[in-house]
């Protein structure tokens, strides 16, 4: 990880390496099954798998921004947002990412990009309307931590592999079954491939959820330590989470696919099982920030 003033997190690094290892292994096994069943279609399988993976990795920031309706803004268009990002980047000693705004009333923010030089940080208009300046800086410090720790790139790759498994399944079945009677494995594939793809998706989903919950806690801690104002981040968390219940369900459903990348999950009131949640509970996040506040208080008195 390039040097920044964000506090390093060895636990996060270990979890990212472990997640990528197991998901990569799972994906290799999946591709191996496809190649074994559809030997004649292996060029198509390799081209699609490689092409989609490279496209996702290199253009993840643009894909996420486009999907969310985010538009890049200049310092003249959003002086307060750019000013906050400028101050935090100077404080963290890291390159300034591109800055964007998404026109939605859902109060949230996200960061994306494969590295610090290609990162993008986005805040929604709903977030900008609701937060005080110090609260906004707390949220942005949280998001910039994802960029500094590079966990946003790992999450992008890991979450995409499950989607890619589904695309590869359809491509392999189309390529193999189109040969009809010439492919003796066609009947087996109809039963086996959807099952294998489902297993790949479920395991990928659970692994990314485990990593996502830890990385949110890591970003809360790192952002609070950088700014020295954990109370501002706690206030932003409480405000954003409380406002979610007032957002129309149709708006929440539009952004639900991006929950794993958001500052706070966009949910419509009903609690989600911890096993499937992309974020730790609000109570756990606030408890951690209270410990950080106590830690900073002790350091200030010593």
């Amino acid at each position: 990880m390039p040097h920044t003033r964000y506090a390093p997190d060895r636990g996060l690094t270990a979890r990212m390496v472990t997640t990528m290892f197991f998901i990569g292994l799972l994906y290799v096994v999946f591709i191996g099954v496809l190649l074994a069943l559809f030997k004649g279609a292996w060029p198509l399988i390799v081209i699609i798998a490689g092409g989609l993976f490279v496209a996702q990795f290199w253009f993840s920031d643009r894909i996420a921004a486009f999907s969310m309706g985010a538009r890049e803004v200049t310092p003249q268009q959003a002086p307060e947002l750019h000013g906050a990002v400028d101050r935090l980047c100077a404080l963290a000693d890291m390159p300034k990412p591109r800055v964007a705004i998404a026109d939605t009333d859902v109060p949230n923010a996200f960061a994306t990009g494969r590295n610090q030089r290609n990162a993008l940080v986005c805040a929604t208009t709903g977030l900008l309307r609701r937060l005080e300046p110090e609260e906004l800086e707390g949220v942005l410090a949280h998001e910039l931590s994802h960029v500094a720790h590079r966990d946003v790139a790992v999450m992008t790759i890991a979450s995409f592999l499950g989607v890619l498994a589904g695309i590869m399944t359809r491509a392999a079945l189309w390529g193999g079954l189109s040969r009809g009677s010439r492919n003796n494995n066609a009947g087996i594939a109809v039963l086996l491939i959807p099952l294998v793809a489902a297993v790949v998706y479920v395991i990928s989903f659970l692994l990314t959820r485990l990593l996502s919950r830890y990385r949110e806690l890591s970003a809360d801690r790192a952002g609070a330590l950088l700014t020295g104002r954990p109370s501002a981040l706690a206030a932003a968390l409480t405000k954003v989470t409380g406002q979610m219940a007032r957002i129309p369900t149709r708006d929440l459903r539009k952004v639900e696919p991006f929950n794993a990348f958001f500052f706070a999950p966009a949910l419509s009131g009903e609690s989600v099982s911890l096993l499937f949640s992309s974020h730790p509970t609000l109570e756990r996040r606030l408890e951690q920030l209270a410990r950080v506040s106590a830690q900073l208080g002790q350091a200030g008195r010593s």
Side-chain angles (χ1 to χ4, degrees):
M1 181 183 74
H3 173 74
T4 69
R5 294 197 181 100
Y6 273 103
D9 192 325
R10 294 182 179 179
L12 177 62
T13 301
R15 284 168 172 80
M16 289 193 296
V17 171
T18 302
T19 298
M20 289 306 298
F21 172 79
F22 282 110
I23 288 184
L25 179 62
L26 190 67
Y27 189 64
V28 168
V29 171
F30 176 65
I31 295 297
V33 171
L34 291 182
L35 292 175
L37 289 173
F38 303 111
K39 296 179 181 179
W42 71 264
L44 178 64
I45 294 173
V46 172
I47 290 172
I48 293 178
L52 289 177
F53 181 80
V54 170
Q56 173 68 11
F57 182 72
W58 283 94
F59 302 108
S60 60
D61 53 341
R62 298 179 186 179
I63 293 172
F66 175 80
S67 301
M68 273 295 297
R71 57 181 176 85
E72 289 188 45
V73 290
T74 65
Q76 292 73 31
Q77 293 171 320
E80 293 183 2
L81 180 58
H82 269 274
V85 174
D86 284 332
R87 288 190 294 273
L88 290 170
C89 288
L91 188 61
D93 190 21
M94 64 183 291
K96 182 181 178 180
R98 289 172 292 134
V99 178
I101 293 177
D103 188 14
T104 172
D105 195 44
V106 178
N108 236 312
F110 69 91
T112 185
R114 64 183 184 276
N115 55 44
Q116 292 184 22
R117 297 290 179 183
N118 297 278
L120 178 142
V121 173
C122 177
T124 67
T125 52
L127 186 79
L128 296 175
R129 283 198 299 269
R130 289 174 171 87
L131 297 189
E132 299 298 327
E134 63 274 11
E135 296 170 345
L136 178 61
E137 283 201 5
V139 173
L140 294 174
H142 169 106
E143 294 303 329
L144 289 172
S145 171
H146 289 313
V147 175
H149 288 151
R150 300 195 69 173
D151 58 275
V152 65
V154 173
M155 276 295 297
T156 299
I157 296 171
S159 61
F160 183 66
L161 290 181
V163 177
L164 188 55
I167 296 174
M168 290 300 302
T169 297
R170 288 190 290 271
L173 287 173
W174 176 81
L177 295 181
S178 63
R179 289 167 175 77
S181 59
R182 290 183 296 172
N183 190 345
N184 295 327
N185 292 326
I188 299 175
V190 171
L191 299 175
L192 184 59
I193 292 297
L195 177 61
V196 173
V199 171
V200 170
Y201 177 81
V202 169
I203 295 178
S204 299
F205 179 86
L206 294 177
L207 286 173
T208 53
R209 285 300 184 267
L210 288 172
L211 175 60
S212 179
R213 289 194 292 273
Y214 185 89
R215 84 183 190 110
E216 293 302 328
L217 289 172
S218 175
D220 283 347
R221 177 176 173 80
L225 288 173
L226 180 73
T227 62
R229 295 194 298 270
S231 59
L233 181 55
L237 267 172
T238 303
K239 187 177 293 186
V240 168
T241 304
Q243 289 290 323
M244 285 300 177
R246 303 180 183 180
I247 303 298
T249 302
R250 64 178 183 276
D251 293 337
L252 294 177
R253 287 176 178 171
K254 288 180 182 179
V255 300
E256 187 177 358
F258 306 97
N259 266 340
F261 297 93
F262 279 147
F263 167 67
L267 302 173
S268 56
E270 295 184 2
S271 61
V272 178
S273 169
L274 184 61
L275 181 64
F276 301 106
S277 176
S278 59
H279 291 65
T281 62
L282 175 63
E283 291 75 16
R284 187 176 180 187
R285 296 176 77 173
L286 293 179
E287 287 173 2
Q288 178 183 244
L289 290 172
R291 291 194 298 269
V292 173
S293 182
Q295 175 186 341
L296 292 174
Q298 291 176 357
R301 291 192 295 270
S302 62

